[in-house]
Amino acid sequence: MTESFVNIRSSQVRWLILITYLVGLIIDSMVLLYSSLEFLPPMTLIAVLYWSGHFLDRTYFVSAFLLGVLADTLYQTTLGAHALLYCLILFMMVRNRLQFRTYPTWQQAFIIGIYLLIYQALNTVFFSPVLDDGSFVPYWSMPAVGILIWPVLSTLLNKITQNHP
Amino acid sequence: MQFIIAFILAIVLMAADHYGQILGSVRSALLTTLTPIERAATFPQHIYHLITTDFTSINALERENQQLKTEILLLKAQQQQLVNLELQVERLESLLGTTGKITNQTVQIATITFYSSNPLSQFLTLNKGSLDKVKKQQTVIDSLGIMGQIIDLTPTTSRVLLLTDPDHQIPVRIQRTGQRGILNGTGHDHAQLGFIPVNSEIKVGDMLESSGLGGIFPAGYPVARITQIETQGDNPYFKITATPIAKLNQSHRVLIINREEAEDWRNDFDFDLDFNLKTDETEPAGNTQ
């Protein structure tokens, strides 16, 4: 993480944050449509984790709650269930974000992988998803895919944020 | 502090949604917010269809046209037989002195715009909403059988919970024997028939149709076909797996049955249908008159 990135305030990239949430929601909707994309992690959660890890002036609990409620509507689950999961995972992130910022990207990716694994485990307890032979492997490989996605996503967003006027 | 507030709010929201109906309008508002996002998610699919349709040859379209014309002809012939059957039923009803009658149902044709078949939920989104006078709990069918029921509405779209969703239950009866049971969705295009005792006469291939009990689904529509029957140790009930008759993942256009008409039809027709099925039962049909 570079110094120039750290010096930017979150309010300066508000539109970028909203765009990442919107893109995240579209990708999450696509995962519902195409069963071949089941291995993808919830991109809205990844986006919230990214912004909360990189800006210290806000905690992003409001964003996590609202995105969680939208995820509940999208997945047709009890309203508030995903909101609770999102807030729990974000809480873990916020508790350790000072340390998290000092880690190299690959190490950050592994921590994100652990958060996603916890999310998926809680998801299993909360919603008891029906996992047949075809969906068991994609479902549980989601945290590993999250590890692969994080470096690409964080590098891309770092670059966009740095170039933001 | 923010986490504690969000945590408590999420718990309250879950309790309110689970135990009450007060959040129905909130969910509808959220669904309306998500409608453009769902549309955006289907964009790659539309592009794919657009490209593949452009490459469809005229010959293929002519063939399809011919096939559809033949199908219409066959359906018209079948409809003529149905008209005869309707008259016969009317004559038999007048002989029996019952008031039941078959009425033509009104339906709305809708197109599927979004669907989900992930491990958490199985639903469809249709392009008809409250502005088109669609209401919650209306039954949705395709050309083969029942697909599910409408659970959420926005002004322009509606969401249909499929038969195979783990939260879905439908009262059914075995077409061959008339025995009643509850069909629960189990996800991944399958459902499970509950409350069928091990001494019941049931076999693989039996057709399940809606029984009309509960007042949500109209009676007599094909629902599923039994694919597997297992006994489980000392359990007094069979473990029965069924596959829906409707093409849940392939249908493009579906029919929404008008609820008022369906209820009238069920109230009128269920009595006689029960009468027919109960001929060897002890309770005479006349008791219900």
Side-chain angles (χ1 to χ4, degrees):
Chain A
M1 218 157 298
T2 61
E3 279 303 312
S4 63
F5 184 91
V6 176
N7 290 333
I8 296 172
R9 285 185 61 80
S10 62
S11 55
Q12 288 175 263
V13 286
R14 191 178 292 139
W15 284 107
L16 183 63
I17 293 171
L18 286 174
I19 287 168
T20 56
Y21 292 163
L22 189 67
V23 172
L25 277 169
I26 292 171
I27 295 172
D28 289 352
S29 305
M30 285 169 79
V31 172
L32 288 181
L33 270 177
Y34 313 106
S35 52
S36 53
L37 298 177
E38 256 174 42
F39 56 83
L40 280 181
M43 297 310 281
T44 44
L45 179 62
I46 297 260
V48 174
L49 290 177
Y50 174 83
W51 295 118
S52 68
H54 288 71
F55 291 118
L56 298 177
D57 56 342
R58 285 180 61 193
T59 54
Y60 291 90
F61 277 114
V62 176
S63 301
F65 184 84
L66 292 176
L67 287 170
V69 171
L70 284 174
D72 283 320
T73 314
L74 192 66
Y75 298 128
Q76 198 60 44
T77 49
T78 310
L79 280 183
H82 273 95
L84 186 67
L85 288 186
Y86 275 35
C87 288
L88 275 171
I89 301 297
L90 182 65
F91 177 70
M92 290 180 213
M93 177 65 159
V94 171
R95 291 274 293 174
N96 303 308
R97 62 177 169 178
L98 284 175
Q99 265 183 309
F100 182 85
R101 288 157 59 90
T102 62
Y103 296 146
T105 309
W106 67 268
Q107 209 170 335
Q108 286 181 356
F110 275 98
I111 289 164
I112 292 295
I114 292 166
Y115 289 152
L116 290 176
L117 189 65
I118 295 167
Y119 168 81
Q120 205 67 325
L122 289 171
N123 217 19
T124 312
V125 175
F126 267 56
F127 307 113
S128 314
V130 186
L131 300 173
D132 65 352
D133 295 340
S135 58
F136 185 84
V137 176
Y139 184 83
W140 285 110
S141 62
M142 182 274 269
V145 177
I147 293 173
L148 297 175
I149 285 175
W150 182 263
V152 181
L153 193 80
S154 63
T155 310
L156 184 74
L157 287 176
N158 283 352
K159 275 204 184 346
I160 296 171
T161 316
Q162 279 165 13
N163 295 330
H164 199 274
Chain B
M1 187 63 189
Q2 275 188 338
F3 169 68
I4 295 167
I5 293 168
F7 188 86
I8 293 168
L9 207 59
I11 300 278
V12 170
L13 203 59
M14 280 168 72
D17 192 35
H18 192 73
Y19 295 108
Q21 299 296 318
I22 50 168
L23 290 177
S25 52
V26 175
R27 197 181 271 273
S28 293
L30 290 165
L31 210 55
T32 311
T33 315
L34 281 176
T35 303
I37 290 164
E38 284 184 351
R39 285 205 182 131
T42 55
F43 194 65
Q45 207 174 26
H46 285 307
I47 297 285
Y48 174 77
H49 278 300
L50 207 66
I51 293 165
T52 49
T53 311
D54 278 352
F55 284 102
T56 309
S57 67
I58 294 170
N59 281 342
L61 285 172
E62 276 176 353
R63 258 203 312 277
E64 195 187 344
N65 196 18
Q66 199 66 38
Q67 199 181 332
L68 290 170
K69 276 181 179 168
T70 316
E71 210 169 302
I72 288 169
L73 204 65
L74 285 169
L75 286 170
K76 276 185 176 170
Q78 281 176 356
Q79 203 182 4
Q80 284 171 26
Q81 288 176 336
L82 276 174
V83 170
N84 282 334
L85 281 171
E86 205 176 317
L87 288 169
Q88 271 183 35
V89 169
E90 214 168 292
R91 273 200 297 272
L92 288 168
E93 276 169 354
S94 63
L95 283 172
L96 287 165
T98 59
T99 55
K101 62 181 189 294
I102 302 173
T103 53
N104 289 323
Q105 292 168 48
T106 55
V107 291
Q108 271 183 295
I109 301 171
T111 306
I112 296 168
T113 54
F114 189 82
Y115 58 87
S116 159
S117 59
N118 81 333
L120 290 182
S121 56
Q122 305 211 320
F123 62 82
L124 300 172
T125 303
L126 307 180
N127 68 341
K128 291 279 193 306
S130 53
L131 289 177
D132 305 289
K133 292 178 183 168
V134 175
K135 288 175 187 149
K136 275 189 186 178
Q137 296 188 331
Q138 274 187 279
T139 304
V140 175
I141 61 168
D142 72 353
S143 59
L144 299 169
I146 290 180
M147 298 181 86
Q149 61 172 306
I150 288 170
I151 49 161
D152 278 315
L153 284 168
T154 73
T156 54
T157 64
S158 52
R159 194 171 262 195
V160 181
L161 194 68
L162 292 177
L163 292 174
T164 49
D165 187 280
D167 289 335
H168 195 281
Q169 293 187 324
I170 174 171
V172 292
R173 63 178 160 229
I174 300 163
Q175 205 175 46
R176 190 171 54 85
T177 62
Q179 185 159 13
R180 293 190 173 97
I182 302 283
L183 191 73
N184 300 290
T186 55
H188 297 289
D189 305 332
H190 289 295
Q192 216 164 0
L193 181 61
F195 308 112
I196 302 292
V198 285
N199 58 0
S200 306
E201 193 209 335
I202 187 167
K203 60 183 182 186
V204 171
D206 272 350
M207 173 81 92
L208 303 174
E209 62 179 20
S210 52
S211 68
L213 292 176
I216 304 289
F217 294 95
Y221 278 91
V223 178
R225 198 178 286 283
I226 292 169
T227 51
Q228 201 177 13
I229 303 168
E230 290 173 71
T231 49
Q232 296 173 300
D234 295 334
N235 195 329
Y237 298 106
F238 278 127
K239 185 190 173 189
I240 301 167
T241 309
T243 309
I245 300 286
K247 289 179 177 174
L248 301 182
N249 299 322
Q250 291 158 30
S251 297
H252 180 55
R253 284 181 198 279
V254 295
L255 299 174
I256 306 169
I257 298 177
N258 188 307
R259 194 161 149 69
E260 280 79 20
E261 293 269 343
E263 272 178 359
D264 291 344
W265 175 83
R266 183 183 52 76
N267 290 336
D268 291 333
F269 189 62
D270 200 22
F271 163 74
D272 293 310
L273 208 61
D274 281 354
F275 174 77
N276 291 335
L277 291 167
K278 281 179 184 170
T279 45
D280 54 353
E281 286 180 19
T282 50
E283 188 188 339
N287 286 354
T288 54
Q289 275 185 313

